[in-house]
Amino acid sequence: MTVVAEVTRSGFVESVHHGVVAFTDRPGVGEVDSPFFPRSSSKPLQTVGMLRSGLVPREAADLALISASHDGEPFHLERVAAMLAATGLGPEALRCPADLPLGDAARNAFLRGGGEAAPILMNCSGKHAGMLATCVANGWDLETYLDPKHPLQVALTEAVSDLAGEPIAAAGVDGCGAPVLAVSPAALARAFLRLVDAAPGTPERQVADAMRAHPELVAGTESADTVLMRAVPGLLVKRGADGVVAAAVPGVAGVALKISDGAARARVPVLLEALRRLGVTPPVLDEVVLGGGRVVGEVRAVF
């Protein structure tokens, strides 16, 4: 296993994180061809599959939310509800589990207001609303849309495999209850580059364009994905649970990474270093270590 990040405290290396970093234009770090679960980083690929299956979004911005791991801010929830209403459905149709908003600020505000966990608050509710809209468009059963044998999931599996350029190595159940499909980090990087380099108007490009035009819908107002897509022209970024993130710069390269222990704190520093190696100058997004209420160290990429 390869060390890709280290944590320093008061000038001393306190911890290290192993991981894999795959590029489309150069050798990667670690076992880039070994399958893994991309978790929510695969959502844009699934959205492409929905468009290929006949999904007609109300507006382009909806594609960003369907591809999102949203923070549960009010504008996220309002759009999910509107997407469901446009197909004649309500939040009760969602089969994702009840949850609280993913973002710290949104969750704290929600709890202060006396709110309780609900499926629409779950960070994957946009994807589930898109899945339901695709089922309505095709006349497919709405109760079993998460079943791997459902026509929707069969179509999405085909789309992910096609975009990745390799067979699905394994299938599991993601945190939201939908299937999660194992591909290699190298394949995920290739898939993201395909999205941004696709011809205008294609399903791939529609998804990439929507996410880049509405990055606040993809994650949250101040999340790292949002900040990066706002700061770097053309950049596409999508985080995933357990230390996964994928990105691509049109005409340049794609990158995908996995922090082996699933640590979210190492994900952004490693991604920033990967982007620098592609010739991109990202904004400063320091992951700091505190001691006594002040900064005494950092999480930094070392691959």
Side-chain angles (χ1 to χ4, degrees), residues 26-48:
R26 67 194 67 194
V29 177
E31 298 180 359
V32 299
D33 294 317
S34 295
F36 78 131
F37 284 136
R39 303 298 300 273
S40 286
S41 289
S42 62
K43 284 177 179 174
L45 314 185
Q46 294 172 307
T47 306
V48 171

Side-chain angles (χ1 to χ4, degrees), residues 77-128:
L77 308 181
E78 291 165 6
R79 185 172 288 271
V80 173
M83 290 165 54
L84 290 168
T87 58
L89 301 174
E92 69 280 356
L94 296 169
R95 293 293 176 263
C96 50
D99 205 349
L100 294 170
L102 180 65
D104 291 340
R107 181 172 59 254
N108 292 339
F110 186 76
L111 290 174
R112 284 196 300 269
E116 297 181 352
I120 196 170
L121 302 175
M122 207 257 174
N123 74 87
C124 301
S125 63
K127 179 179 78 171
H128 283 248

Side-chain angles (χ1 to χ4, degrees), residues 168-274:
I168 301 302
V173 181
D174 213 338
C176 68
V180 60
L181 308 169
V183 297
S184 68
L188 183 62
R190 286 195 303 268
F192 266 64
L193 186 60
R194 285 189 64 179
L195 297 186
V196 298
D197 278 351
T202 60
E204 295 89 336
R205 186 64 175 274
Q206 289 181 59
V207 173
D209 287 350
M211 292 173 67
R212 292 178 295 188
H214 305 279
E216 72 286 347
L217 291 177
V218 178
T221 303
E222 301 298 335
S223 75
D225 288 16
T226 302
V227 172
L228 285 169
M229 284 192 280
R230 284 175 175 165
V232 181
L235 177 65
L236 179 69
V237 182
K238 180 66 190 73
R239 65 188 179 186
D242 282 324
V244 179
V245 66
V249 181
V252 179
V255 60
L257 65 91
K258 161 72 175 178
I259 307 302
S260 297
D261 62 2
R265 69 179 179 178
R267 179 174 57 198
V268 172
V270 174
L271 174 62
L272 295 181
E273 176 59 25

